[in-house]
Structures are given as structure tokens and as C-alpha cells.
Amino acid sequence: MPTTAGSSRTLAELMAGPQGARAPRIALVAGEASGDALGAGLIAQLRQRHPEARFAGIGGPGMRAAGLDAWFDASELAVMGLTEVLRHLPRLLRLRKSLRQQLLDWQPDVFIGIDAPDFNLGMERWLKQRGVPTVHYVSPSVWAWREKRADGIGRSADLVLCLFPMEPDIYARHGVDARYVGHPMADALSLQPDREAARAALGLGTRPVLAVLPGSRMGEVGRLAQDFIDAALRVAEQVPGLQVLIPAANRAVHAVLEPLLAATPFPSPRPRLLDGQAREAMVASDVVLLASGTATLEAMLAKRAMVVGYKVAPASAWLARRLRLLKVKRFALPNILAGEDLAPELMQEDCTPDRLAAAVLEWFAHPEAVAALQGRYLELHALLRQDASARAADAVDELLRDRGPGTRDPEQQA
């Protein structure tokens, strides 16, 4: 049956329910690989509840495979840091303007912003003012950066879906509806990852393995890759036969890492540059050297000792210190969840090849310390393992039922 854009509906929509109702239209926006994975799991669960639903917005390959009509790719939002955002601001403003118009034309029944708070919270507030129910999936770190931000998040989102158990109580103090759903990564990883199977899959022997992950965004890779590679070289000089695995998050990262490795005089065996396979590399490793971020959670779930390093642009670091924006003493997610230092953290000026290498060598020198981590890791894994995608979909479904798809006041949509 033919349609006219923005007006007529298909026969399937007309048959989807009582007069005034139609198949749910669910808009989602994710800004990087981790958000794409969350979005893919959520779409799959929502489709089970609403087989006729339509999904559109911004996402990556996982969300497209799950059924998203991607108007833009998630990589276009993968910008981090105060100065980095400023540099990309004109392009982001153009994208936002275009997305707003497409959303108005499409008339979604709910908008789900997945992480990317600098972009999504503003979009959510704008849509909420026009009568669109809004969800923010992945709470910004209100426990780290000014708790009062919860008020503003509540003005943007009708519902906040939290990955970590300490977050809903903070929102409750500000009258914001927030639900703890757990973390999909904790659902995906076995409580007892099979190191031997991972090593066999990667063609590794029994010699020690170091996995090196300098990030997925080009900015962080540019700041961290050389220091991480130099640190791995120092470790390889001290650990005979060390096998170094360096997963490249994407082709652009691979292109940055390849010449750096070629110019570094590693002893035999030389490091292996992998295309993706970060999880396999972590499970196969003895120790992981990695950038602060979601990957630290994945290393914890893989039950691996780790050393965490990170640098932001100097201007971003200066502003954060000057404005006293950061309210936590710990940065790595395993340390924050545990409330103790399970992994060494080397940030900004401390993130040097010598210090990174020394921390990695400590783990290789003390296997009893690595063994002592396992029980704590298991406790944290069980805490996060909540069937997160299903719980998130249930919360979105409840919001859809309360508001009713296709029944919003047209005057609010102008």
C-alpha cells in the first residue's frame, strides 16, 4: 500500500491496534562501539515484545544488524574531552539539526539516548519538551562529576537506565526515575572465562601473554599508543618469551598502531597486531595494559590483572583541575565498584612508559596477588549480571504502555 512521507500509514500500521494507535516507532542514538553493543541488545529484546516495531536513529554495525534504520553512523559522535568537542562542534551542530528534523518528521513514540551524554541529553530535553517520552540508557558518572547534574538529567529524560548499582539512589535524591538494569557485558561473559580455549583460538602457546589496549577513539590512541608500546617493550625485555597482543579497535586505529610497532625494536616474538578480538586477547592474557574506560570492566569480567593508564588533552586536564570538576579518587570501573584499588591507575603525568611497565611487571612477579583478585572479581561479576538488555527493554516497554504509541498530542510535536 503506498504512503506519503509524514502522513499516510501502511496497512500493517493501520491494523496494529485500535484507532489512533500504530506500531511503535522507537528512535535510538548511540555514539560509540560500547553504545552500539548496548543498543543492539536492547533492540533485540524490544523486538521480542513488539515484533512490528520500527527502529531508527544513529548506531553502528550491531544496531544495524539488529534492525536499526541508521540515519547516521555512531562513529560521528565518538568525540571525547572538552577541547576535542569544541573542535568538532560545527559538524556536531549540523548533525543535530538534521537529526532533529528527521525525528520530527518520523514522530517516534520514544527516544532512547544511549550514553553520549553531551549529545543525547540535549536532544532528549528538546524532544521531551515536544511531548516525546525520553530514556537515557547509561547514566553519566554523576558519582564522579557533580551529583547535582542528576537534576538536569531528570529534566531531559523521563527514565534513566543505570548499569551500576550505586546510581539509582543518587537520582532518587533528586526525584528522577532511575532503574538499575545491570550490565550486558556481565551477562555476555562467563563467570569462569576459558583462558586455554582463548589461547588456542589465537594460536598462542604456554608462554606469558600481555594484552595491550590503548583505546578505541583516535584522540586517546594518539595520546596513549606510543607510551603503551614503549611500556610493552620494557616488559618484554624483562619477561623472556613474552607474547604481546595488541587488538586494534578499528581500521583507523590499526593504521596508527602498525607503523609505531614497526619502528619499535621488540625482541622475539614480536607483538601481534589483531583486528578487533579485544575480548579474546584479554581472556587469553596473563596481564592487561589498557586505557581507562569500559575496557577495564571487560578485563575485570575476564578475571585478569590489569594496569590502567590514561591521558586527556592537556587543556582538558587543566580545566578539570581548575574547575574542580572531578569528585572521585578512583577512575577505573573495577576500583570504583569495589571501593578499593584492585588495579593500579596511572593518569596524566603518571602515565609514562617506565611507570606503566613497572606496574605490569609487578603482576608478573607476584602470581599470588593475581590469584587473590579472583574472588573479588567474581563478586562484582555476579552483582552486575542481571539480564540487563531484558530489564532495560521491560522498562522501556512500561514507558510505552503508559504513554501509548501513536497517541501524543500533535500540537506538542511542532
Side-chain angles (χ1 to χ4, degrees), residues 31 145 170 252 271 305 338 409:
W145 300 82
I170 296 173
D409 182 353

Side-chain angles (χ1 to χ4, degrees), residues 67-82:
L68 181 79
D69 178 9
W71 297 333
F72 303 94
D73 190 77
S75 62
E76 298 196 47
L77 298 183
V79 180
M80 185 177 182
L82 298 174

